[in-house]
Amino acid sequence: MKINPYQPDQTGMAYSVGTTLDRFIKLKQSDFPFASGELSQLLRDIALAAKIVNRETNRAGLANIGGAFGQTNVQGEEQQKLDVIANIRFMRALSKGGEVCAIVSEEEDAVVDLQNNSGKYVVAIDPLDGSSNIDVNISIGTIFSIYRRKTPIGSPIQQEDIMQPGSEQVAAGYVLYGSSTMLVYTTGFGVNGFTYETSLGEFFLSHPQIQAPKSGSIYSINEGLEKDWQDGIKSYVDQCKENRFAARYIGSLVADFHRNLLKGGIYLYPATKKNPSGKLRLLYEANALAFIAEQAGAKASDGQERILDIVPESLHQRTPLLIGSTELVEDAMNYIQLAKEQETV
Ligand SMILES: O=P(O)(O)OC[C@H]1O[C@](O)(COP(=O)(O)O)[C@@H](O)[C@@H]1O
Ligand SMILES: [Mg+2]
Ligand SMILES: [Mg+2]
């Protein structure tokens, strides 16, 4: 039977493949009985900034916006011009609407207090993920987490508004600037993916209700750091090779995560000598992807603990990250546990 992609799917849902993001956000607002529309507007603001950053990444080579910016961020990493441009674009979009009271960004040393005490939401963002791939035309991304503030609206923001565990996220998502540009997000009611139609300037629903395969045969890890890996990781990766898994590593977390989410696989960034607590940041990289992973039936751990249960202690804190198909992440955690037990014998 030939399936006509333009026919609404048979689920009878009000939306189907081809629904615009705007319409989808409006329809899904009904998931929240007391919704005031602020979260919906915030998601739209993020989508708009993503369209602008998409344009900038597409023309990076032409417009002399590739290359280093000539400054380092709080983590001592050299900032790329596009890191700074993306940061400015998202900062503007997030501060315009009035829904946000504070922003945590990879490119900002401290919390950006928007002096907007009537703002309900706190946003943590990695404006440009995969910075090492910007100048070589490889997929890069943006990652965002949204929290409801804990302190009363109208009062100044406090530490407790910022240092929330990932389990408190009300929404999270990423944008993938790749062969096509996609926005994938969750509000706790499943994961949906939207593809950007440049000629119309619109995101359209292309991947409704994403569910990750429970297992897979892809592993993503920077093997160049093997010498630093703990025994459990070494033996797990050996087992992947034993089973003839495909090694796939783009070096852009968003892109590696997205592939494994759709095809089944595991991404690992363990502790290394250079980064004893792992490289990736809890507040604006791991938490968002862990929320999406779990909403898509996958799993995210630091090797022992569920990422979403980790209570943050510092703004730019790092965490080891094992994320992807449930059975693969559980396997890897078993190898880590086993190696630990053998250490104590
Ligand atoms: O080069 P390495 O050590 O393998 O690290 C690659 C990882 O670092 C990152 O680039 C870190 O993110 P940023 O580019 O946002 O700093 C991830 O996207 C990627 O998975
Ligand atoms: Mg990143
Ligand atoms: Mg970044």
Side-chain angles (χ1 to χ4, degrees):
M1 179 182 78
K2 239 170 102 5
I3 296 183
N4 174 346
Y6 293 104
Q7 287 306 322
D9 59 28
Q10 309 312 317
T11 61
M13 287 193 276
Y15 57 85
S16 61
V17 168
T19 300
T20 64
L21 175 65
D22 261 12
R23 180 170 156 68
F24 182 87
I25 290 174
K26 194 154 162 244
L27 287 164
K28 294 300 279 178
Q29 200 171 302
S30 56
D31 287 345
F32 301 91
F34 308 104
S36 59
E38 286 162 288
L39 180 61
S40 300
Q41 188 49 48
L42 181 48
L43 291 167
R44 289 191 189 95
D45 296 341
I46 290 173
L48 176 60
K51 293 176 185 177
I52 298 169
V53 172
N54 178 59
R55 181 192 68 199
E56 302 301 356
T57 52
N58 286 347
R59 54 196 273 281
L62 296 173
N64 186 28
I65 44 180
F69 180 64
Q71 257 176 240
T72 57
N73 62 19
V74 66
Q75 297 143 76
E77 289 164 351
E78 186 172 33
Q79 287 180 313
Q80 302 298 307
K81 285 182 191 159
L82 258 173
D83 282 322
V84 177
I85 290 169
N87 190 47
I88 293 168
R89 291 294 182 180
F90 280 103
M91 285 286 159
R92 278 195 199 144
L94 294 172
S95 46
K96 257 229 183 68
E99 303 88 10
V100 178
C101 57
I103 304 170
V104 175
S105 166
E106 178 188 4
E107 305 308 333
E108 302 284 343
D109 300 4
V111 173
V112 179
D113 181 345
L114 296 177
Q115 306 298 329
N116 168 32
N117 295 345
S118 61
K120 202 195 270 184
Y121 296 105
V122 172
V123 177
I125 190 160
D126 177 357
L128 211 283
D129 176 66
S131 308
S132 63
N133 283 327
I134 292 172
D135 292 342
V136 287
N137 209 353
I138 291 174
S139 301
I140 49 182
T142 292
I143 309 174
F144 63 90
S145 283
I146 303 175
Y147 297 84
R148 199 172 282 114
R149 61 182 301 168
K150 290 286 177 199
T151 53
I153 292 177
S155 66
I157 55 155
Q158 303 293 332
Q159 188 79 344
E160 64 191 286
D161 297 314
I162 309 296
M163 294 302 177
Q164 301 189 49
S167 53
E168 295 294 311
Q169 290 172 97
V170 291
Y174 59 85
V175 186
L176 177 59
Y177 311 102
S179 45
S180 69
T181 292
M182 282 191 70
L183 170 65
V184 176
Y185 80 99
T186 183
T187 54
F189 294 87
V191 178
N192 292 281
F194 300 78
T195 299
Y196 187 51
E197 171 49 87
T198 319
S199 64
L200 299 174
E202 280 280 5
F203 281 103
F204 291 93
L205 182 64
S206 53
H207 297 66
Q209 295 295 334
I210 296 174
Q211 277 297 306
K214 285 286 170 236
S215 190
S217 56
I218 293 172
Y219 73 100
S220 310
I221 190 167
N222 182 343
E223 301 228 29
L225 301 170
E226 183 179 358
K227 288 211 171 343
D228 293 0
W229 297 342
Q230 66 207 100
D231 293 345
I233 297 287
K234 278 197 183 118
S235 37
Y236 176 69
V237 172
D238 288 346
Q239 185 249 346
C240 291
K241 293 177 182 173
E242 203 53 46
N243 295 335
R244 302 292 185 278
F245 277 22
R248 294 281 181 275
Y249 190 71
I250 296 168
S252 293
L253 169 63
V254 167
D256 282 310
F257 173 77
H258 184 74
R259 177 234 296 117
N260 295 349
L261 187 73
L262 298 185
K263 292 203 163 184
I266 182 172
Y267 171 99
L268 311 101
Y269 207 112
T272 61
K273 283 209 179 58
K274 184 172 172 221
N275 292 308
S277 348
K279 176 178 183 178
L280 301 165
R281 283 51 60 114
L282 178 66
L283 265 71
Y284 43 78
E285 290 173 319
N287 272 337
L289 301 185
F291 189 19
I292 289 173
E294 291 199 6
Q295 283 287 314
K299 196 177 174 86
S301 164
D302 67 355
Q304 267 105 30
E305 198 181 352
R306 178 181 175 237
I307 290 288
L308 296 181
D309 291 339
I310 300 174
V311 179
E313 285 155 14
S314 67
L315 220 49
H316 300 284
Q317 88 180 62
R318 300 173 189 264
T319 177
L321 182 63
L322 281 59
I323 191 165
S325 300
T326 301
E327 289 170 19
L328 301 184
V329 173
E330 285 171 354
D331 264 1
M333 290 170 74
N334 291 340
Y335 273 84
I336 291 171
Q337 185 55 33
L338 206 61
K340 276 213 160 14
E341 284 159 12
Q342 276 157 2
E343 266 168 32
T344 55
V345 171

